Amino acid sequence: MKTFTYAIIGNSVAAIGAIEAIRSVDRTGSIGLFSDEPHHVYSRPLITHYLAGEVSEEKMLYRPPDFYERYGVQAFLGAQVESVEFENRRLQTAGGESAFEKLLISVGGRPIVPKIAGGDLRGVFTMNTWDDAREMKSYLPAVRSAMVLGGGLTGLKTAEALVEAGVRVTVVELAERVLSMLLDRRSAEVVVKQFENQGTRILTGTTISEIRGGECVESASLSDGSTAECQMVVLAIGVTPRLDLVQDTPVRTNRGIFVDRRMETSVPGVFAAGDVAEAYDALLDQNRVLPVLPNAYAGGRVAGLNMAGGERTYDLGASVNSTTFFGYPVVSAGSSAIEEGAEIIEGDDENGYRRFIIQDDRLTGFVMTGEVNRAGIVLDLVRERIPLNGLKDRLLDGIGLIDLPEEIRHKKLRGGTCCHEKH
Amino acid sequence: MACRLCEVGCKVEHSEHKHVIKSFKREKPVARLLVEESGPLSFATQCRHCDEPACMFGCITGAITKDPETGIVNLNAEKCIGCWTCILMCPYGSITRTNGARPTAAKCDMCPGREVPACVEACPNRALVLMEDEEPAVALEDAA
Amino acid sequence: MRNIEALNNPFGDAKVISNCSIFGMMDRTGRRFSGRDISRAIANMHDRGNGLGGGLAVYGIYPEFADHYALHIMFTSAQGRKATEAILAANFQISRDEDLPTQPTAEIVNPPLVLRYFVKPTHSRLEGLSEDDFVVRKVMEINTSVEDSFVFSSGKNMGVFKGVGFPEQIAHYFCLEDYEGYLWTAHGRFPTNSQAWWGGAHPFSLLDWTVVHNGEISSYGINRRYLEMFGYHCTMHTDTEVITYAVDLLMRKQGLPVEIFADIVSAKLWTDIDRMDPESRQLRSALRQVYGSMLLNGPFSVIIAHEGEMIGLTDRVRLRPMVAAAAGPMLFLSSEEAAIRLVSPEVDRIWVPQGGEPVVGRLECTSEAPKSDQPLAA
Amino acid sequence: MALACFKLPEFLVERDYDKCINCRVCERQCGWEVHSYDEEVDKMFADTEKCVGCQRCAVMCPTGALVISPHPGRYREHGNWTQEHLRDAIRQSETGGVVLAGSGNDKDYPVYWDKLLLNASQVTNPSIDPLREPMELRTYLGAKPESIEVRDGKLVSQLPPQVQVETPILFSALSYGAISFQAQEALARAAAELGILYNTGEGGLHHDLYRYRGNTIVQVASGRFGVDPDYLNAARIVEIKIGQGAKPGIGGHLPGEKVVGEVSVTRMIPAGTDAISPAPQHDIYSIEDLSMLIYALKEATNYQKPVSVKIAAVHNVAAIATGMVRAGADIIALDGFRGGTGAAPKIIRDNVGIPIEFALAAVDTRLRQEGIRNRASIIAGGGFRNSADVIKAIALGADAVYIGTAALVAMGCTLCQKCYTGICNWGITTQNPYLAKRLNPEIATERLVNLVTGWSHEIKEMLGGLGVNSIESLRGNRLHLRGIGLTHGELETLGVRMVGQ
């Protein structure tokens, strides 16, 4: 039986962050990587771009084909871990048993599939894996119009991909606006406008009540009683952490696997990162599940460094999102949706819409659309909790390093490390 | 001193023609560094080639990598799909977008093949200095 | 010689350039010897001169008149002699006057009349001057204001013999084999711009100080302007004249010892001074600061002599030759080693002095004898 | 543009639009706002009338698209009324004021340096190769005694204070206020690196420059700006400024707009007030007053520092100089009529004073005639353009020279002569922080060091050719000079012979 110094379950961005971190300090310790998916590590956010035909097979890869070899990783792809014995430091796959000294769980989340009549018809998809996208892509020739359930990021990016693939799309969102976790009402309208420009309908405050068809999807009925013809329904109402492996084990869970600031679970030597983890959000000062890619990498990296004997804490937390819809940039960060007792600064001009949320003279969140250059400087104000002082008036014009207080500016101009992990 | 010749140098270096007049007149290239000005204060900012590059952490495609040998943070424009997460992640505001049909992120690449980056060479006041090792790869002074 | 400038510098050059052979020999016990050897030695360096000037200085030749100034004066006309003798009579007690003995020599043509006068200043005429300064003044007066007369030797118990010709011819002409002295210097000249005249030959002298010199001082202009500030009139336009006045100002008037003199005219390099101990550094720095204008810059080697002392010195970077040798009590200084070997095949020591390092020979009876040996032992 | 203006533009700005890439560097670099960008037509334009011909834009233009040349438009040619006379008269009839000018006298007076030729060794003595042989330029400034006493090989005499410089080239007075802090810092740093001295001018000494005290000459001028005991004692040499070659008999006036922030602190006067230097020092109305000030300064510095007295070269300079030496000056600084200035009435600049060549020769000769040349060093200033000028001055009798304009040129100055406006596109004669920071002291220091090092190398080469290996053997050694194209009177005053003699 092989014993790995480091075992990693899940072939995700968090896993790569951990591997690259481990190898930056430990060149010899053995690493075993177990993934139920058969693919070389790929970029999950690219699956919609793949669907749209924008990204080729080889460009799906998140790291080069020789990555595992170069990083000394023994990768077990398509090998689902069936169980883990946390006390004995063992894990079982169909192929056998392996032992480990340190373990990282980064299995991500799985789509929430609502119970809808007709949900088992051909043409009903979820959008979470490369295989999902492949299946969808091969089904496209039969599709003229599609209905996407869920106006979140996955739903909208899928809708965009389908539009670009030539499909007529209707998006159905139960909430009163799309991207309600990320955007306020007005910025959501900006996004909706982008879709409407493409002839895409976005219906809010409603949901799919029934999917109809013989073998395949032929139409869908909405809760408002209307029915529309479609050949495809995509269910994208969210993901939930994959907790199967830790169910009924000493590993503490809440909504996700609960980790401390070192990304370590309640079981010493066992770490978790990525969409499966419930990690610390410095901005809210509490743990939460926050499925965004930069945080997954950073969390994996902190976990990896700590697995390799380092002492790092994870302080990133805050929600960050940047994307485009039909080429139109939309970024948001921090508590953009939380508006209680906050001061709001808004602007809307030819450069786009922007909204800044200020509490106690500190920026707690913002949304920018259109012109997003140098948004990172603004995000840093949020993350570093820099007092705004006179800076408020400059926010709408676009903040430069030159606008920052002298001390911070000097530190930035001379400094060289931008990661917010504490050393 | 806010002449912005560093930007001119950078644009030319990262243009197709690499000829100052032709590049400007034909291409409208984008500079990978930016001179910030406020009254008499001015300086150039560009990628610090961070030890722990947030842009790379955030890059959804794997287009941004850090060369373990040189420490240079590279951006593979071929892989970039233009999601601008790196722009949101960079606390220095040092990543920009190219013009053209398929805009991609663009950043300082330390001018591969050159002994001294074009911006440093173009600076008439030695406000831009190439520095090695522990220090940030390109350090900037308020004198810029 | 009222027209001394014109005589010595007929074309009005900024300065008179000449290069030469020099030789000096001294018996440090004070034993006197004839001029035969130095005549042979300087003749051995015949080709370093061009026959336009030669001369010798000898010390200890007039013991019977040791307390008299021995004036060697050349005349080219009877009127000149008359005028000069009137000045002498008015200012000096003349104990003896006579023609310098000469013997006809084929190569010596058109010689002036040369006489010697053994004199003492008339005290009532001194007007507060020392006897030395009085003699200097009168010599200058004759040399610059009287027609056809030139005083070319004015020290006590010594004499300068010089003229137009090669030095060995001059020695023969003045019968120097018949004289005996304890210190001899000789000079063969190669002027580039001088019409030959007898007064222009070396040694150059003032009182009992004589200078024979080989080289060209590129600092001449400032050396001269500096000396002029102290009342010297440089009528001859020669480096030798400047060196002689430098000797007079620094050693005779300001009483600086020869080593200090050497450190002024052949100053140490700053790079060397900077490495010295603080006391030496302070001294050398002060010398250069105060006497920078007296630095003799350019190639030279020189033999300076006065009563009881012979000093050989080269420029600071030794661009002109000088060889020194010791053989028993004898000290030799020469432009070329061969000349020394000719008269003293066996030597105890022979060496090339460092640039700017003086070689000093002193009579052993003087109180400073141990110091004088220092450079020799070096 | 005011139509009532009768002036023709002085310079022509020509832009090659095929080369112009609208990068706007010229616009940003011109403090005179000559260039502007028009978004509507996407084109750069130039307002020729504002151009002073400093060439900053032309040298900064990355495509070489700009040519700045004298404007070809001329008033009708007139042998007596030159373009300049016309222009000045027109300007004055508009303003009723005094025409000001910066930099030195730019009139076509004879430059005697160009009429003096140096010697070189041939045959009778060897020239010296400074690359192989020692070659000494070290110079000591200060009064020297006539003789010294040595006992038992030890120095007995105590010398007056001597200040060592490694090459006889010093930076002349350029005051903080007239020039930017960056410029003065560069001068100080370069002086330190070169082992020479810079001169604070009369604007006081900024506290950050006290660290260069070993290389500082401080000035005490009629305005007494920034003078206190700390200031005096922060220097190697204290210089009393009586006059300045560019404007003999005229005081100074730094407008209140330039007396800002640190300038006011350093000058010890309220910010925003005009800094007026009266024409005379009001405690010096004659030579005995000068003596009292000299000894007051010596007392204040415990006789540790030579006191220099700087005067403009004027007609009876020789007699004045002997008086100054006898009044106790350790150094005589002579400033010829071609010396630079930040601001002077043009009529004074161009018509008052005499060439440094004659002043220097006359003073050196006179001090020697009086037998007191040892008692003071002579520093000559006013229009030194290259190392040949310097070495000729040394041969005429200077111990060292002051260079001002040459130092400014090293830092970037192109002699546009607009120093008095406070706008300097090269960051030198300005207090505008936006302009001043164009002068990177590090670069300026290097350039100054290069210039003086280059000149020093050349001086060594020329000394070697003369057959001397130490500068003091040339100092006052006029035999190494010959005059060409000079009258007998000029030759006599200069104390040099004619070529061929």
Side-chain angles (χ1 to χ4, degrees):
Chain A
M1 185 182 64
K2 172 97 183 175
T3 299
F4 293 102
T5 318
Y6 311 99
I8 298 171
I9 307 175
N11 194 5
S12 61
V13 164
I16 300 301
I19 290 166
E20 288 175 348
I22 289 168
R23 283 292 176 247
S24 72
V25 288
D26 179 357
R27 288 179 175 272
T28 54
S30 56
I31 301 176
L33 179 128
F34 302 87
S35 168
D36 56 350
E37 287 188 73
H39 307 294
H40 184 88
V41 63
Y42 65 90
S43 169
R44 206 166 293 276
L46 285 188
I47 57 175
T48 62
H49 297 263
Y50 173 81
L51 175 65
E54 272 176 57
V55 172
S56 64
E57 294 264 336
E58 75 240 28
K59 283 187 187 159
M60 285 296 290
L61 300 192
Y62 181 62
R63 289 293 182 261
D66 62 350
F67 175 81
Y68 300 122
E69 195 185 320
R70 273 204 292 142
Y71 277 77
V73 176
Q74 200 173 338
F76 301 91
L77 306 179
Q80 177 154 19
V81 174
E82 287 159 353
S83 63
V84 181
E85 292 173 44
F86 290 99
E87 295 83 357
N88 298 329
R89 314 250 145 193
R90 301 272 161 87
L91 59 83
Q92 286 79 32
T93 64
E97 190 173 51
S98 298
F100 59 84
E101 290 171 27
K102 301 279 169 63
L103 176 68
L104 173 68
I105 304 169
S106 56
V107 292
R110 82 160 42 92
I112 300 168
V113 180
K115 294 225 177 311
I116 300 172
D120 54 353
L121 290 173
R122 276 196 68 197
V124 178
F125 295 91
T126 55
M127 188 61 166
N128 190 48
T129 64
W130 193 354
D131 289 344
D132 292 342
R134 281 186 164 153
E135 282 173 28
M136 249 161 99
K137 199 170 182 175
S138 62
Y139 194 74
L140 277 180
V143 179
R144 288 186 312 280
S145 61
M147 197 162 284
V148 174
L149 179 63
L153 208 47
T154 306
L156 291 185
K157 288 302 282 183
T158 306
E160 179 192 11
L162 290 171
V163 168
E164 279 168 3
V167 175
R168 215 167 59 219
V169 180
T170 304
V171 178
V172 179
E173 167 60 51
L174 182 61
E176 48 121 12
R177 64 171 190 267
V178 296
L179 295 170
S180 58
M181 296 296 283
L182 306 177
L183 303 180
D184 64 295
R185 191 178 48 79
R186 282 187 61 185
S187 48
E189 279 168 11
V190 171
V191 171
V192 169
K193 187 101 199 307
Q194 302 305 316
F195 279 90
E196 285 173 354
N197 287 346
Q198 303 290 329
T200 300
R201 281 198 308 158
I202 295 189
L203 308 173
T204 54
T206 185
T207 187
I208 296 176
S209 51
E210 190 185 353
I211 303 166
R212 297 207 195 112
E215 196 182 335
C216 303
V217 175
E218 288 166 14
S219 69
S221 302
L222 302 185
S223 51
D224 63 6
S226 63
T227 297
E229 175 225 19
C230 62
Q231 293 75 42
M232 176 186 271
V233 172
V234 182
L235 303 175
I237 60 169
V239 290
T240 180
R242 289 171 63 174
L243 299 177
D244 337 18
L245 280 176
V246 293
Q247 224 79 63
D248 305 321
T249 68
V251 176
R252 183 185 154 197
T253 59
N254 188 28
R255 296 193 57 183
I257 300 176
F258 198 89
V259 292
D260 63 12
R261 299 278 288 274
R262 300 176 67 250
M263 305 303 284
E264 195 165 15
T265 68
S266 56
V267 177
V270 176
F271 295 74
D275 295 0
V276 75
E278 186 172 328
Y280 182 67
D281 180 333
L283 209 61
L284 302 180
D285 191 26
Q286 66 181 50
N287 281 35
R288 67 160 164 158
V289 174
L290 193 57
V292 298
L293 184 140
N295 293 11
Y297 185 96
R301 179 177 170 80
V302 169
L305 290 170
N306 288 325
M307 287 164 78
E311 269 304 325
R312 280 295 185 95
T313 56
Y314 175 80
D315 288 293
L316 217 50
S319 162
V320 285
N321 269 291
S322 175
T323 191
T324 60
F325 295 106
F326 305 103
Y328 188 77
V330 176
V331 304
S332 73
S335 55
S336 59
I338 303 161
E339 296 173 18
E340 235 169 279
E343 183 187 347
I344 310 290
I345 294 179
E346 267 184 307
D348 200 351
D349 57 27
E350 71 275 11
N351 285 327
Y353 170 75
R354 44 217 61 217
R355 172 191 181 86
F356 301 95
I357 299 145
I358 298 164
Q359 264 168 326
D360 301 329
D361 199 37
R362 281 163 174 78
L363 198 62
T364 58
F366 64 94
V367 175
M368 294 165 81
T369 72
E371 181 53 75
V372 297
N373 270 3
R374 314 205 87 194
I377 296 175
V378 183
L379 176 60
D380 208 44
L381 292 177
V382 176
R383 285 184 166 163
E384 293 288 301
R385 300 191 176 84
I386 294 167
L388 292 176
N389 293 326
L391 224 54
K392 252 196 289 197
D393 307 337
R394 302 270 311 124
L395 284 169
L396 286 177
D397 304 333
I399 294 241
L401 295 181
I402 207 154
D403 300 308
L404 301 179
E406 191 172 330
E407 193 190 328
I408 293 162
R409 183 178 73 235
H410 277 277
K411 213 174 99 194
K412 282 207 174 195
L413 287 173
R414 317 228 173 261
T417 303
C418 65
C419 190
H420 295 266
E421 298 161 17
K422 295 251 159 60
H423 289 244
Chain B
M1 58 188 182
C3 63
R4 300 195 155 199
L5 279 170
C6 50
E7 293 180 3
V8 174
C10 181
K11 285 179 186 178
V12 175
E13 176 66 21
H14 293 97
S15 69
E16 198 184 314
H17 296 93
K18 303 212 176 205
H19 181 279
V20 60
I21 296 172
K22 223 167 151 185
S23 299
F24 266 74
K25 300 226 166 190
R26 290 259 176 102
E27 298 176 39
K28 303 254 179 260
V30 171
R32 282 112 202 274
L33 82 170
L34 178 74
V35 173
E36 294 195 40
E37 287 180 68
S38 173
L41 178 66
S42 62
F43 49 77
T45 60
Q46 73 270 62
C47 175
R48 335 291 303 161
H49 299 279
C50 302
D51 291 340
E52 304 194 317
C55 59
M56 180 187 109
F57 296 178
C59 177
I60 67 167
T61 66
I64 300 180
T65 51
K66 185 173 174 70
D67 188 318
E69 303 284 307
T70 62
I72 293 172
V73 175
N74 284 307
L75 191 153
N76 179 353
E78 291 293 308
K79 282 200 88 169
C80 176
I81 56 142
C83 72
W84 319 128
T85 306
C86 52
I87 288 179
L88 179 59
M89 295 302 287
C90 177
Y92 303 104
S94 296
I95 303 180
T96 186
R97 293 181 288 165
T98 60
N99 298 319
R102 197 182 76 90
T104 62
K107 62 179 286 301
C108 167
D109 55 5
M110 297 294 283
C111 294
R114 285 185 78 110
E115 221 165 274
V116 176
C119 55
V120 174
E121 198 175 287
C123 180
N125 210 26
R126 217 177 290 163
L128 286 170
V129 193
L130 183 65
M131 288 166 86
E132 301 280 336
D133 286 334
E134 305 303 327
E135 296 299 314
V138 175
L140 310 131
E141 290 178 17
D142 276 0
Chain C
M1 276 303 161
R2 265 169 53 172
N3 52 352
I4 189 165
E5 290 204 50
L7 263 177
N8 201 51
N9 187 10
F11 306 110
D13 290 325
K15 67 178 287 215
V16 176
I17 299 168
S18 70
N19 294 277
C20 321
S21 59
I22 58 175
F23 195 87
M25 57 193 291
M26 174 185 193
D27 189 315
R28 282 170 292 166
T29 64
R31 182 186 63 84
R32 296 161 68 217
F33 51 94
S34 90
R36 192 168 295 110
D37 277 352
I38 194 165
S39 179
R40 285 170 62 218
I42 199 78
N44 195 55
M45 297 187 284
H46 182 89
D47 288 348
R48 296 183 71 91
N50 64 0
L52 292 179
L56 299 91
V58 52
Y59 291 80
I61 46 170
Y62 302 132
E64 64 276 29
F65 288 102
D67 54 349
H68 284 67
Y69 292 92
L71 306 182
H72 293 185
I73 307 179
M74 59 178 75
F75 302 108
T76 51
S77 73
Q79 299 94 307
R81 176 173 177 180
K82 205 169 151 189
T84 295
E85 287 185 342
I87 292 173
L88 294 180
N91 293 286
F92 297 93
Q93 294 170 309
I94 302 169
S95 301
R96 183 196 282 187
D97 60 295
E98 60 191 6
D99 285 358
L100 272 183
T102 57
Q103 51 193 329
T105 306
E107 297 87 350
I108 303 297
V109 293
N110 198 19
L113 179 66
V114 184
L115 279 88
R116 68 183 160 213
Y117 303 81
F118 295 100
V119 305
K120 286 184 172 178
T122 303
H123 278 263
S124 58
R125 306 285 298 173
L126 289 179
E127 292 171 358
L129 290 178
S130 70
E131 288 196 352
D132 277 356
D133 286 342
F134 180 77
V135 171
V136 170
R137 177 179 292 189
K138 290 300 150 189
V139 168
M140 291 291 173
E141 184 183 328
I142 294 166
N143 285 356
T144 57
S145 64
V146 181
E147 293 285 0
D148 304 337
S149 303
F150 189 73
V151 183
F152 62 93
S153 181
S154 54
K156 290 176 177 172
N157 198 13
M158 58 79 69
V160 171
F161 302 88
K162 63 183 186 180
V164 175
F166 285 96
E168 64 273 20
Q169 296 162 355
I170 297 295
H172 180 75
Y173 176 73
F174 283 115
C175 314
L176 293 188
E177 64 273 20
D178 298 339
Y179 291 79
E180 285 197 330
Y182 63 89
L183 189 170
W184 292 78
T185 64
H187 186 262
R189 192 165 183 233
F190 197 138
T192 58
N193 63 339
S194 184
Q195 278 182 339
W197 82 285
W198 283 60
H202 290 203
F204 194 88
S205 74
L206 195 67
L207 299 172
D208 70 337
W209 292 89
T210 60
V211 174
V212 291
H213 155 249
N214 167 25
E216 185 181 350
I217 313 295
S218 302
S219 56
Y220 172 81
I222 185 56
N223 302 145
R224 178 180 162 173
R225 291 186 82 209
Y226 183 78
L227 288 164
E228 283 172 348
M229 272 210 307
F230 293 89
Y232 293 93
H233 299 287
C234 299
T235 52
M236 309 283 278
H237 298 263
T238 64
D239 298 332
T240 321
E241 179 185 45
V242 151
I243 296 171
T244 309
Y245 293 158
V247 167
D248 187 64
L249 175 69
L250 300 175
M251 291 173 70
R252 187 177 72 81
K253 284 193 179 154
Q254 296 189 356
L256 296 170
V258 62
E259 292 79 12
I260 298 297
F261 172 81
D263 263 337
I264 291 170
V265 300
S266 298
K268 296 273 183 295
L269 295 167
W270 284 118
T271 48
D272 295 332
I273 294 172
D274 289 345
R275 283 197 294 267
M276 291 176 179
D277 62 84
E279 207 170 61
S280 310
R281 193 166 60 228
Q282 197 188 14
L283 170 64
R284 315 288 162 186
S285 299
L287 291 176
R288 292 201 61 175
Q289 287 160 5
V290 175
Y291 295 111
S293 297
M294 265 335 295
L295 166 62
L296 301 178
N297 209 321
F300 73 84
S301 57
V302 66
I303 301 171
I304 300 162
H306 68 127
E307 185 190 350
E309 194 169 65
M310 178 172 80
I311 302 152
L313 183 66
T314 60
D315 61 83
R316 58 207 307 238
V317 291
R318 229 190 70 80
L319 294 169
R320 274 288 189 277
M322 174 169 285
V323 183
M330 293 299 294
L331 171 68
F332 299 95
L333 295 168
S334 175
S335 296
E336 294 176 10
E337 181 178 344
I340 298 174
R341 295 285 183 182
L342 181 72
V343 295
S344 181
E346 299 299 322
V347 293
D348 302 332
R349 212 180 134 226
I350 188 156
W351 74 101
V352 174
Q354 293 281 307
E357 293 286 347
V359 179
V360 182
R362 290 200 182 99
L363 284 180
E364 279 164 6
C365 53
T366 68
S367 58
E368 291 170 271
K371 229 172 103 187
S372 71
D373 279 342
Q374 228 171 5
L376 292 178
Chain D
M1 194 187 77
L3 283 174
C5 172
F6 298 162
K7 286 199 306 284
L8 277 173
E10 281 187 73
F11 295 95
L12 182 67
V13 180
E14 289 172 288
R15 184 187 309 272
D16 183 341
Y17 281 104
D18 284 345
K19 289 183 178 170
C20 180
I21 56 172
N22 293 338
C23 69
R24 302 174 71 176
V25 169
C26 51
E27 179 189 8
R28 294 191 196 94
Q29 289 297 300
C30 183
W32 300 94
E33 299 176 344
V34 168
H35 305 279
S36 58
Y37 174 68
D38 189 317
E39 219 161 329
E40 211 180 313
V41 290
D42 189 29
K43 238 180 170 181
M44 297 298 304
F45 289 114
D47 186 350
T48 280
E49 211 160 276
K50 292 178 179 166
C51 180
V52 301
C54 82
Q55 304 288 356
R56 177 86 182 178
C57 58
V59 302
M60 296 289 283
C61 176
T63 63
L66 288 167
V67 176
I68 312 297
S69 47
H71 201 286
R74 316 273 293 168
Y75 303 106
R76 191 185 197 289
E77 293 298 335
H78 190 291
N80 189 36
W81 283 88
T82 63
Q83 299 291 315
E84 188 182 355
H85 288 135
L86 280 166
R87 190 165 280 138
D88 287 351
I90 291 169
R91 190 151 35 135
Q92 272 184 306
S93 46
E94 274 167 13
T95 65
V98 172
V99 178
L100 289 178
S103 163
N105 188 328
D106 65 358
K107 290 285 150 306
D108 190 22
Y109 294 104
V111 179
Y112 287 88
W113 301 129
D114 295 339
K115 295 172 186 297
L116 292 169
L117 294 168
L118 286 161
N119 196 23
S121 301
Q122 300 290 302
V123 180
T124 57
N125 60 352
S127 42
I128 300 168
D129 182 350
L131 296 178
R132 294 156 178 268
E133 306 281 343
M135 189 59 71
E136 301 179 322
L137 300 185
R138 187 184 291 181
T139 299
Y140 286 85
L141 301 170
K144 278 89 176 171
E146 265 189 16
S147 63
I148 57 177
E149 200 184 327
V150 180
R151 207 177 300 139
D152 300 329
K154 285 181 188 135
L155 181 66
V156 179
S157 320
Q158 171 99 35
L159 263 57
Q162 302 292 319
V163 174
Q164 176 182 325
V165 291
E166 293 305 332
T167 191
I169 302 168
L170 318 178
F171 298 131
S172 63
L174 290 157
S175 70
Y176 175 43
I179 60 170
S180 62
F181 177 80
Q182 286 86 338
Q184 196 167 57
E185 186 192 358
L187 290 164
R189 279 167 65 171
E193 218 167 289
L194 289 160
I196 60 169
L197 305 167
Y198 81 103
N199 190 317
T200 60
E202 58 175 304
L205 181 59
H206 191 284
H207 226 271
D208 291 353
L209 298 183
Y210 270 67
R211 73 182 90 151
Y212 302 106
R213 60 199 312 143
N215 302 86
T216 306
I217 299 174
V218 296
Q219 250 189 6
V220 175
S222 62
R224 298 289 152 86
F225 299 120
V227 178
D228 70 3
D230 288 346
Y231 172 75
L232 297 175
N233 282 295
R236 295 299 300 278
I237 294 172
V238 177
E239 182 168 275
I240 299 170
K241 181 203 168 184
I242 301 292
Q244 178 178 350
K247 42 181 173 181
I250 296 284
H253 179 179
L254 189 70
E257 302 85 78
K258 274 180 128 178
V259 184
V260 291
E262 296 285 293
V263 174
S264 100
V265 173
T266 305
R267 292 205 171 211
M268 301 179 187
I269 54 171
T273 54
D274 289 8
I276 307 275
S277 299
Q281 301 230 0
H282 279 301
D283 53 0
I284 303 177
Y285 282 12
S286 186
I287 189 77
E288 67 273 19
D289 295 338
L290 174 67
S291 190
M292 289 208 283
L293 181 58
I294 289 173
Y295 282 96
L297 293 173
K298 289 187 177 184
E299 284 288 339
T301 54
N302 201 22
Y303 292 86
Q304 298 295 301
K305 299 170 195 309
V307 172
S308 166
V309 180
K310 177 181 175 181
I311 55 168
V314 289
H315 299 174
N316 45 353
V317 63
I320 297 166
T322 55
M324 282 154 53
V325 175
R326 293 182 192 283
D330 301 298
I331 296 168
I332 305 293
L334 302 169
D335 198 14
F337 81 145
R338 252 179 257 103
T341 178
K346 193 155 170 270
I347 208 79
I348 304 279
R349 186 194 76 169
D350 293 349
N351 295 284
V352 182
I354 66 168
I356 186 61
E357 298 91 324
F358 284 95
L360 170 60
V363 168
D364 178 69
T365 300
R366 179 67 65 85
L367 295 181
R368 286 181 190 281
Q369 283 166 342
E370 299 199 19
I372 56 173
R373 178 63 183 84
N374 269 18
R375 280 165 52 180
S377 299
I378 299 176
I379 304 176
F384 288 93
R385 307 154 303 171
N386 58 29
S387 60
D389 293 355
V390 174
I391 198 169
K392 289 168 187 174
I394 302 282
L396 280 182
D399 289 84
V401 304
Y402 269 142
I403 59 167
T405 304
L408 295 178
V409 170
M411 290 194 278
C413 172
T414 57
L415 300 192
C416 75
Q417 311 194 12
K418 291 286 186 257
C419 333
Y420 61 93
T421 62
I423 299 174
C424 175
N425 278 339
W426 302 87
I428 303 169
T429 60
T430 181
Q431 299 306 319
N432 175 342
Y434 178 76
L435 296 173
K437 73 176 193 161
R438 296 175 177 192
L439 189 76
N440 181 344
E442 182 186 303
I443 298 174
T445 300
E446 265 177 38
R447 298 180 65 88
L448 288 164
V449 168
N450 285 343
L451 181 81
V452 175
T453 304
W455 285 18
S456 299
H457 277 310
E458 290 173 344
I459 289 171
K460 287 178 176 181
E461 292 284 352
M462 289 186 274
L463 283 180
L466 295 170
V468 302
N469 55 16
S470 189
I471 190 83
E472 64 243 49
S473 295
L474 181 70
R475 191 184 307 134
N477 193 344
R478 299 184 190 170
L479 277 187
H480 283 306
L481 294 175
R482 291 290 188 277
I484 185 162
L486 297 177
T487 64
H488 282 294
E490 288 167 331
L491 289 168
E492 200 183 316
T493 311
L494 292 171
V496 299
R497 297 161 71 96
M498 199 160 82
V499 285
Q501 279 191 339

